[in-house]
Amino acid sequence: MQFRTAIFNTTLLLISLPRLVVCFLQNVFCPTVYVFWFLLFQPIHWINSNIFWDLEGKVFDAYLKIVSSWLDYAGHTVYECGDDISKFSYDESIVMINHQTPNDIGTMMRALQGKNCQFRRSCWIMDWVFQFFNFGWVSKGHGDFFLMQAPDANRFGKILNFNPEESRLEQPALLEKNIISNFCERKRKWILLFPEGGLLRKRRSGSQRYAKKNGFPILQHVALPRIGAIQTIINTLGVCYHDVDYNLNNWNGETNAADLNAPSGKLKWVVDVTIGYTRPSSILEYLLGYTGPTQTVVLYRVYSAEELISKTAQNEIEKSQHLQSWLHSRFAEKEELLSYFYAFNNFPKLKTFSPQCTTIHVSGLNNKILYSIQCLVALQILLIYYFVLWAVF
């Protein structure tokens, strides 16, 4: 029986090889085109940086459209439920996502497509190692931050000849610098990160040991979040205190902008994202879809950034304890939500949501725009190829 299953899966994989080739070529050529335009636009940056970053954002958004299309070609479907986050796309926000598999990044790219061109106004905080991948070139140009954690520091410290402890301790200062130079100066709006600090399968056992030792809840579907990056973001940007009563269900980001008198640049919202997969799959299965299509549900919950701050805290320790307690509460709720999801393949309707809240299908990509982008990428690759040949010979 196992032999037949292996033969069947191998046959499906072979049938999906053309899609694998297409994904591979796009994964190689699209970053190359991004870097080409990034360098070509540099004279504009010297004249007017706002125009440069607007152009860079359009190229970046086109690149992510191609990456997002991989899920559609594989037959997968992404659904959304919870709060309507498109109303907050023009406000400074932290977007925190549970991290189960590498598929989470592709899922978020697909889910956020079409939300007021949100990606060009966003920054990611991701693992330090990713900067050495080809998509790391794109992320680095866009201004994302690569956070070095203790495992990375210990693993690569001897190889690259740096002190692991010093590198780990200087991360908050580097993140602060990145936020000021890339998030603030480029007028970005969202910072996306995985508070667990890595994939669930790598963090779960350590998280459970830490929870037992310190009396925290033992979590199975998520790991306890780390507060370092979020604390640095709060310290750097500050938090907007709303001067008026607000109703999330009636909020309009374009007109309200988190209070008309709110200072620009300060954090206004926390968008809590919980991803649930109806069937677990590897990254190869997810990209190629040779084991069949899957459905993924993304749940959004929006909180005021005020909740991250304790108004009664007397010192930094109490502020950190409040933030840790708040994050732990959110992830304990994620644990309950995911337990329900894995039992019923959908998230429960929470009382905090509006009565109209339903699970909706993420809108499809515009194929005309997508095919146009792919044709332009192919044309540009040919032009780059002939330019290199002309320069060399």
Side-chain angles (χ1 to χ4, degrees):
M1 186 65 181
Q2 291 180 351
F3 178 74
R4 289 183 178 179
T5 302
I7 292 294
F8 180 71
N9 288 336
T10 303
T11 303
L12 291 176
L13 179 60
L14 291 173
I15 295 173
S16 303
L17 276 179
R19 189 180 296 139
L20 176 62
V21 173
V22 171
C23 289
F24 174 78
L25 292 177
Q26 289 178 340
N27 196 34
V28 172
F29 292 149
C30 289
T32 305
V33 171
Y34 173 89
V35 173
F36 171 77
W37 284 109
F38 188 88
L39 297 175
L40 193 66
F41 290 152
Q42 283 303 314
I44 301 176
H45 185 263
W46 302 331
I47 300 171
N48 190 316
S49 61
N50 291 331
I51 295 177
F52 171 82
W53 289 116
D54 183 59
L55 293 172
E56 182 275 339
K58 291 177 180 179
V59 177
F60 183 77
D61 194 52
Y63 168 67
L64 292 190
K65 272 185 171 62
I66 291 179
V67 176
S68 301
S69 69
W70 295 348
L71 271 68
D72 289 14
Y73 292 154
H76 304 309
T77 309
V78 179
Y79 294 89
E80 296 176 305
C81 62
D83 294 321
D84 181 6
I85 62 172
S86 62
K87 297 186 289 186
F88 308 95
S89 60
Y90 293 93
D91 293 335
E92 290 79 2
S93 307
I94 292 176
V95 181
M96 57 182 198
I97 313 157
N98 65 308
H99 203 10
Q100 302 175 72
T101 73
N103 306 337
D104 300 335
I105 298 174
T107 298
M108 288 305 302
M109 287 182 180
R110 184 64 188 86
L112 295 180
Q113 279 295 336
K115 297 222 173 12
N116 300 323
C117 302
Q118 192 56 46
F119 279 118
R120 70 181 67 173
R121 295 194 303 272
S122 301
C123 290
W124 283 80
I125 297 178
M126 59 185 73
D127 195 279
W128 179 81
V129 177
F130 288 148
Q131 65 184 306
F132 301 108
F133 289 76
N134 59 340
F135 64 83
W137 313 341
V138 180
S139 297
K140 216 169 185 63
H142 187 65
D144 297 336
F145 182 73
F146 299 91
L147 180 67
M148 178 180 288
Q149 302 180 80
D152 292 333
N154 295 330
R155 187 180 301 117
F156 296 101
K158 294 182 179 180
I159 300 174
L160 302 178
N161 194 27
F162 62 79
N163 188 309
E165 187 64 20
E166 289 182 2
S167 298
R168 187 180 63 83
L169 292 176
E170 68 180 1
Q171 292 305 299
L174 293 175
L175 177 57
E176 179 180 350
K177 181 180 178 182
N178 182 275
I179 292 171
I180 294 172
S181 61
N182 296 338
F183 185 83
C184 298
E185 294 182 4
R186 300 178 189 180
K187 298 179 181 179
R188 302 284 166 76
K189 295 300 179 182
W190 283 9
I191 300 179
L192 298 92
L193 75 160
F194 299 102
E196 292 159 291
L199 298 175
L200 176 62
R201 61 182 175 82
K202 295 182 178 180
R203 303 294 182 186
R204 179 161 41 205
S205 59
S207 171
Q208 292 176 346
R209 288 194 302 270
Y210 179 79
K212 291 178 182 178
K213 183 178 179 180
N214 295 277
F216 296 133
I218 309 298
L219 307 176
Q220 181 67 26
H221 303 302
V222 292
L224 287 174
R226 304 183 179 197
I227 70 170
I230 295 179
Q231 184 70 70
T232 301
I233 296 169
I234 295 171
N235 294 341
T236 306
L237 296 179
V239 170
C240 169
Y241 292 93
H242 302 288
D243 297 327
V244 296
D245 293 334
Y246 58 89
N247 184 338
L248 293 177
N249 297 322
N250 299 323
W251 202 262
N252 185 330
E254 295 185 20
T255 57
N256 296 85
D259 297 350
L260 295 176
N261 298 322
S264 177
K266 288 185 177 291
L267 280 176
K268 299 175 180 67
W269 308 106
V270 177
V271 180
D272 183 18
V273 181
T274 306
I275 302 175
Y277 296 96
T278 55
R279 190 188 74 220
S281 58
S282 67
I283 184 64
L284 194 61
E285 292 172 337
Y286 202 58
L287 288 179
L288 302 183
Y290 63 87
T291 56
T294 63
Q295 290 76 44
T296 305
V297 184
V298 181
L299 171 67
Y300 304 114
R301 296 181 294 169
V302 179
Y303 302 89
S304 169
E306 292 179 57
E307 299 188 29
L308 300 174
I309 301 294
S310 172
K311 297 179 180 179
T312 60
Q314 300 296 320
N315 51 52
E316 293 299 323
I317 295 177
E318 292 182 2
K319 290 180 181 178
S320 297
Q321 290 174 342
H322 172 83
L323 177 60
Q324 183 183 61
S325 176
W326 189 87
L327 288 174
H328 283 186
S329 297
R330 300 291 77 76
F331 273 75
E333 292 168 359
K334 284 179 182 287
E335 177 75 11
E336 296 179 4
L337 290 168
L338 287 170
S339 295
Y340 183 96
F341 180 88
Y342 294 133
F344 302 101
N345 277 344
N346 210 338
F347 289 109
K349 290 186 177 181
L350 304 181
K351 295 180 181 178
T352 55
F353 298 149
S354 64
Q356 295 79 23
C357 171
T358 56
T359 301
I360 61 173
H361 184 286
V362 173
S363 58
L365 296 171
N366 188 319
N367 286 329
K368 291 182 179 179
I369 295 178
L370 186 62
Y371 295 150
S372 299
I373 293 172
Q374 292 173 339
C375 290
L376 286 173
V377 168
L379 178 61
Q380 290 163 23
I381 285 296
L382 288 174
L383 290 175
I384 293 171
Y385 173 74
Y386 283 112
F387 175 78
V388 171
L389 287 180
W390 173 80
V392 173
F393 299 105

